[in-house]
Amino acid sequence: MFKWAQAALANVAGTKEPIYGPEAIKSVAEEAKTTPYTEATRDDLKWAAMESTCVETQCFYFMTDSGKLAFAQVIYSNVAGIRTTCQFNSKVFSLDGSKPHLWCSTPLSNPEFSEDKTAFYATDCAVELSEDGNSYTIKSLNDERSIVNVTVKRTAPGFKVGTSGTTFFGTDPANPWGSMRHIFWPRCVAEGTIATPDGPVDCKGRAMFVHALQGMKPHHAAAKWNFCDFQGPNYSAVLMQYTTPPSYGSTVVNVGGIVKDNEIIFAGAEGAVTHVAIKSDTENDWPAPSAVKFEWKGTTKDGKHADAVLEGELEDKLDRIDVMAEVPGFVKQIVAGAVGTKPYIYQYAPQKKKLTLKLKIGEEEISEEGYLFAEATFISE
C-alpha cells in the first residue's frame, strides 16, 4: 500500500519513486542484442509531442571551421498533461574564457507542428526537416542577442539503437509508464550564422544532431548522464549514457556509434564511460570529471568485430550549469519535491590538446585526432 501511495505521489508531485528494481526497466540493450541499430528514417524524426509528462528536445551542436563551438535547441515539455511549454535555447561558448558564454533561453509562444510532425513552429521560430529527410533548417528571431539561421545536413546515415531506440520503464512490460528514446545524426555539415552582439558566428563546419524523448519526469528516468560528441576529419563518434535512480536498480544504459561519411561503421548499446580522474566541485560535492574514457564496441555490417576508445584530459570545464536556476518555474515545481535532486551539467571541450579516437575494425587500427564536446550531468544520488 505504501509503495502504491508513494508511486501515486511521485507521479503527481515528482517526489522520489519507490524501489521497483531493475526488473521494472526494459533497456534498449535487449533489442540491441539481436538488432544493434537501425538506420533512422524521416518517420523516426517526427515529434511525439506527448500529452502526458515528457521532455522532448531537438539539439544541434556546431563545431565550426573557424574554431567556434555552439548549439541550438528546441525543448517541448509537458507537465502531467496540464501544461505544455516550449523553449528555444542557444549557446555560443567562449572557449578561451576571455568573456562570458552567450547563453540565450527564450520561452516560445504559439507552438505548433507541421501536419506530419517533422517540423516545429512558434512565433519567430521554425525548425524544419527537409522533404528528403536529409537536412534541417533552424531559424529563430526570439532573442536579438542570438539570431539563428542555420542549415544542418547529414553526411552519414542517422541511427537509433535496437529497433525502437527506446528504453521502457514500468512493472508491466505491456503497459510501460515511462520511456527514453534517442535518434542520432552523428556526422553532419552546417552552414549559416548565429548573429550576436559581437558579430555573426559563421557556423560553417561540422555538426551533430540528436532528437531525444524522455516520456516521464526527467529525474525519475536518470540520476546521471554522460555525453560525448567527437568530430574528426574522417570519423565522428557519439555516446549517450544514463544511469537510472535506485528505483530502477541504478541501471546503466549506453547508446552510441561510430560513423564516417556515408557509412555507419557500427552502433549499438555496448559502450562505457569512465571518469578516470575527478575534481570534486567544492560548491555542491558532485564528483565532476577531469579526465574521461569513452568506449564503444560492436560489429560492422560485414561481421567484423570493432571497438573504439577516446581517452584523455578534459582540461578546465567550459561551464557548470545549475539546472534549477535555468529551467522555467513550471519544471522547477516538478523537481522541487524530490529531496536530494540538485541537477548540474558540467561541459567540456579540451582546447590545449586534441583527443585521439582509437578505432579497431577487425585487424585494422585507425587513430584520428579531433574535437570533443562532452557533458557530465549529475541529478540525484
Side-chain angles (χ1 to χ4, degrees):
M1 174 65 190
F2 175 71
K3 187 179 273 196
W4 175 85
Q6 198 179 352
L9 182 64
N11 197 34
V12 175
T15 52
K16 193 180 284 187
E17 290 190 290
I19 302 294
Y20 302 113
E23 57 276 6
I25 180 172
K26 186 192 169 212
S27 170
V28 71
E30 292 301 310
E31 291 177 8
K33 285 176 184 173
T34 49
T35 308
Y37 71 91
T38 309
E39 286 195 14
T41 66
R42 197 171 189 277
D43 276 356
D44 287 321
L45 298 167
K46 291 180 175 179
W47 285 84
M50 292 169 61
E51 292 180 8
S52 54
T53 297
C54 69
V55 178
E56 186 170 10
T57 63
Q58 288 193 338
C59 194
F60 303 85
Y61 298 88
F62 310 111
M63 292 182 179
T64 76
D65 289 347
S66 60
K68 303 279 190 188
L69 177 66
F71 70 74
Q73 178 187 48
V74 173
I75 303 180
Y76 170 101
S77 41
N78 186 318
V79 180
I82 298 164
R83 184 167 177 203
T84 298
T85 65
C86 298
Q87 198 98 356
F88 187 85
N89 297 333
S90 65
K91 188 168 189 173
V92 178
F93 288 90
S94 171
L95 294 177
D96 62 5
S98 62
K99 57 188 174 186
H101 307 299
L102 177 62
W103 164 247
C104 300
S105 184
T106 315
L108 298 174
S109 50
N110 305 310
E112 59 180 358
F113 300 93
S114 60
E115 200 174 321
D116 68 356
K117 291 280 184 74
T118 62
F120 172 89
Y121 301 104
T123 302
D124 292 332
C125 182
V127 178
E128 297 175 292
L129 180 63
S130 62
E131 201 58 48
D132 64 9
N134 292 331
S135 63
Y136 273 97
T137 52
I138 306 108
K139 295 182 180 179
S140 173
L141 298 164
N142 275 281
D143 190 320
E144 62 184 19
R145 296 172 304 149
S146 176
I147 296 171
V148 180
N149 185 0
V150 182
T151 299
V152 170
K153 183 176 183 181
R154 64 176 183 83
T155 59
F159 70 86
K160 56 187 176 184
V161 168
T163 52
S164 70
T166 307
T167 289
F168 295 98
F169 297 76
T171 48
D172 177 3
N175 297 289
W177 60 54
S179 62
M180 181 86 80
R181 177 176 184 259
H182 290 91
I183 309 288
F184 299 101
W185 281 8
R187 191 168 178 83
C188 308
V189 289
E191 281 191 348
T193 58
I194 300 174
T196 78
D198 290 333
V201 174
D202 185 354
C203 289
K204 185 176 188 309
R206 285 267 151 236
M208 178 266 185
F209 162 67
V210 58
H211 184 154
L213 171 63
Q214 299 184 53
M216 60 198 297
K217 292 181 176 66
H219 59 289
H220 285 178
K224 56 185 178 182
W225 290 85
N226 286 291
F227 170 59
C228 163
D229 169 18
F230 172 87
Q231 301 293 332
N234 301 295
Y235 294 90
S236 296
V238 63
L239 184 60
M240 189 79 80
Q241 181 197 74
Y242 55 94
T243 304
T244 73
S247 44
Y248 298 101
S250 300
T251 301
V252 179
V253 181
N254 294 283
V255 286
I258 310 284
V259 307
K260 64 180 183 179
D261 283 343
N262 304 312
E263 185 185 342
I264 296 172
I265 309 293
F266 68 94
E270 290 187 76
V273 182
T274 308
H275 291 179
V276 177
I278 61 169
K279 188 177 181 180
S280 285
D281 190 327
T282 52
E283 287 189 33
N284 57 33
D285 298 328
W286 284 127
S290 57
V292 74
K293 182 180 183 182
F294 297 102
E295 298 174 87
W296 297 258
K297 285 188 174 119
T299 307
T300 64
K301 275 183 182 166
D302 54 2
K304 289 179 184 165
H305 175 75
D307 58 61
V309 178
L310 182 67
E311 182 175 9
E313 298 284 328
L314 289 170
E315 299 172 12
D316 294 335
K317 67 178 179 286
L318 271 185
D319 205 0
R320 180 190 65 187
I321 299 156
D322 176 352
V323 176
M324 293 299 276
E326 296 289 353
V327 296
F330 71 93
V331 176
K332 217 167 279 190
Q333 289 162 16
I334 312 182
V335 181
V339 178
T341 301
K342 43 177 185 178
Y344 280 81
I345 302 170
Y346 296 83
Q347 296 176 318
Y348 305 88
Q351 296 298 301
K352 296 172 194 158
K353 188 183 176 190
K354 287 183 184 176
L355 269 63
T356 299
L357 181 71
K358 294 179 179 176
L359 178 61
K360 189 173 182 185
I361 306 167
E363 296 304 310
E364 184 187 7
E365 294 188 12
I366 300 153
S367 289
E368 180 167 283
E369 275 191 348
Y371 290 99
L372 169 69
F373 175 69
E375 290 184 335
T377 301
F378 300 92
I379 299 170
S380 59
E381 299 289 357

